[in-house]
Amino acid sequence: MIPYGRHSIDADDIAAVVDVLQGDRLTDGPAVARFEAALGAVTGAPHVVACASGTAALHLAVLGLGLGPGDAVVVPSLTFVATANAATYVGATVRFADVDPDTGLMTPETLEQALARPGPGRPRAVFPVHLNGQVCDMAGLTAVAERHGLSVVEDACHALGGAAVLDGASVPVGAATASAAVCFSFHPVKTVAMGEGGAVTTRDGALADRLRRLRTHGISRDPGVFQEHALAFGADGAPTPWYYEMAEPGFNYRASDLHCALGASQLTKLETFLARRRSLAATLGQALAPLAPHVRPIPRGPTDADGWHLFVVLIDFEGLGRSRADVMAALAAAGIGTQVHYIPVHRQPYYRARDPDLHLPGAEAYYARCLSLPLFPAMADGDVDRVAAALREALQ
């Protein structure tokens, strides 16, 4: 079976994890700092906070911005549920934005439409999602956000290695030059795998400090912020070595040294991974060209500034007289794994109950046609021909 996505683990990745296992610290050790420094070098962000998952990263960002009841957060409906849930966790209202029907990306126009639509809560933040690895129009989105006084948090869980165009320059995703924070996932199907893991990048040092506290139960061991001086300091004025304080509740969202050692090793191969994904995507696109117009890859930007997490095609199932379920079953029988990314979140029962009449035609048109085909660095060139041939057969 060729899965739709798979991690690529080499001997050096295994050696990095074994080195931690043979060391003194399995968590809260030096591998975490090394991973954060490596991700900072890749993204250009001055502050990186590693955490347990992409979902934890999104939740930490919401907490760090102080969002809560009475606030509204704009989220595109075409995303994984975690983007919306992060706002829900803190009692904020999710306001769903529509997306471009061919790319699945939120646009400045659909953001404006979401903000103009009546709803509970005062809009305070927007979470653009770089779906499939393709980067949103950050210049346009931030211009809208600034007009409405919104904080911007990028959900870049698909987009490590991609780049945005800002003021005519290519800026790495994660640099956080157009946002308060950027959230990443290092799940095994992502370009860089940690097993489970995530990170938040930011240019705001105070926000980074708060995120570090929040990922560890809200606890700080910094004497400079201690409030209970009688407990914190001895008679000589020196801080007592065991002391810590919790100024606000946090979570156990730490990433272990095991995960971070693997992540740091994987980051050294990021450009190699991306180059292979781009090559495979170009070859697969050519192999599928004879199936047009009924099958076409989602349109991509004119440059290589794409994280290439997923290879998604838009299929006219209705015009072909085939159901998506039947096509996926036929592909599975041929040894080809596929997936659907994603069911529009506004159609999920929890959110549908809160806005039963919401209709987002772009998201629903994208969802009706999308199918994720295999794309990962370990694919052989022959696998591309096998995928294309199996899809042709499944659609006949």
Side-chain angles (χ1 to χ4, degrees):
M1 172 70 76
I2 304 175
Y4 82 86
R6 185 169 65 197
H7 56 274
S8 297
I9 301 296
D10 298 323
D12 55 344
D13 300 317
I14 296 170
V17 175
V18 170
D19 186 58
V20 171
L21 288 169
Q22 293 175 332
D24 297 326
R25 302 286 293 276
L26 297 183
T27 192
D28 286 336
V32 178
R34 286 196 294 268
F35 170 75
E36 290 176 337
L39 184 58
V42 165
T43 61
H47 304 286
V48 178
V49 181
C51 58
S53 66
T55 302
L58 290 162
H59 190 194
L60 286 172
V62 169
L63 291 164
L65 292 178
L67 301 174
D71 298 329
V73 178
V74 182
V75 173
S77 185
L78 242 299
T79 183
F80 185 53
V81 294
T83 317
N85 288 351
T88 301
Y89 293 157
V90 299
T93 299
V94 177
R95 189 173 298 187
F96 289 106
D98 205 358
V99 298
D100 181 279
D102 289 337
T103 66
L105 297 176
M106 181 166 62
T107 67
E109 293 74 20
T110 62
L111 173 57
E112 288 277 19
Q113 291 165 9
L115 292 168
R117 192 172 65 241
R122 178 173 66 92
R124 285 201 47 210
V126 57
F127 279 51
V129 176
H130 303 316
L131 189 69
N132 304 322
Q134 190 166 12
V135 182
C136 296
D137 175 7
M138 289 306 299
L141 289 171
T142 54
V144 175
E146 287 173 2
R147 284 199 301 273
H148 292 273
L150 307 179
S151 297
V152 179
V153 174
E154 299 172 64
D155 181 339
C157 290
H158 286 193
L160 181 65
V165 177
L166 297 169
D167 295 326
S170 179
V171 179
V173 170
T177 55
S179 58
V182 185
C183 300
F184 290 100
S185 167
F186 302 100
H187 182 275
V189 297
K190 301 300 195 300
T191 302
V192 162
M194 288 173 62
E196 288 285 0
V200 183
T201 62
T202 182
R203 309 192 80 80
D204 185 335
L207 176 60
D209 288 342
R210 188 173 186 212
L211 297 177
R212 291 189 181 97
R213 290 193 300 272
L214 289 167
R215 75 175 174 185
T216 310
H217 305 282
I219 286 173
S220 175
R221 297 181 184 274
D222 178 7
V225 300
F226 288 163
Q227 300 178 37
E228 297 291 335
H229 285 253
L231 295 176
F233 300 95
D236 60 355
T240 52
W242 66 86
Y243 191 72
Y244 59 86
E245 284 188 351
M246 189 196 83
E248 61 178 324
F251 297 83
N252 183 357
Y253 277 168
R254 295 187 300 270
S256 76
D257 281 55
L258 294 170
H259 293 93
C260 287
L262 176 58
S265 179
Q266 289 262 295
L267 280 172
T268 66
K269 293 172 278 195
L270 175 60
E271 287 305 318
T272 301
F273 288 159
L274 286 171
R276 181 60 177 161
R277 285 175 175 270
R278 289 168 183 150
S279 175
L280 288 166
T283 304
L284 185 52
Q286 292 169 2
L288 295 176
L291 298 179
H294 296 294
V295 179
R296 55 191 178 93
I298 60 170
R300 299 275 182 168
T303 71
D304 284 337
D306 192 318
W308 275 114
H309 168 49
L310 296 171
F311 188 94
V312 178
V313 291
L314 301 176
I315 300 177
D316 181 10
F317 294 105
E318 183 177 356
L320 290 166
R322 300 297 308 277
S323 75
R324 180 163 48 195
D326 287 344
V327 171
M328 293 178 73
L331 288 169
I336 308 299
T338 56
Q339 189 54 273
V340 175
H341 297 93
Y342 294 99
I343 301 168
V345 186
H346 78 279
R347 299 293 299 273
Q348 294 292 346
Y350 177 87
Y351 290 108
R352 173 59 86 191
R354 282 149 181 77
D355 197 350
D357 298 324
L358 180 60
H359 176 56
L360 299 177
E364 289 158 13
Y366 180 92
Y367 166 67
R369 297 172 293 153
C370 68
L371 187 66
S372 298
L373 300 180
L375 181 69
F376 53 91
M379 283 179 68
D381 291 343
D383 291 336
V384 172
D385 295 330
R386 184 179 159 193
V387 169
L391 184 57
R392 283 195 299 271
E393 182 69 22
L395 292 174
Q396 285 180 359

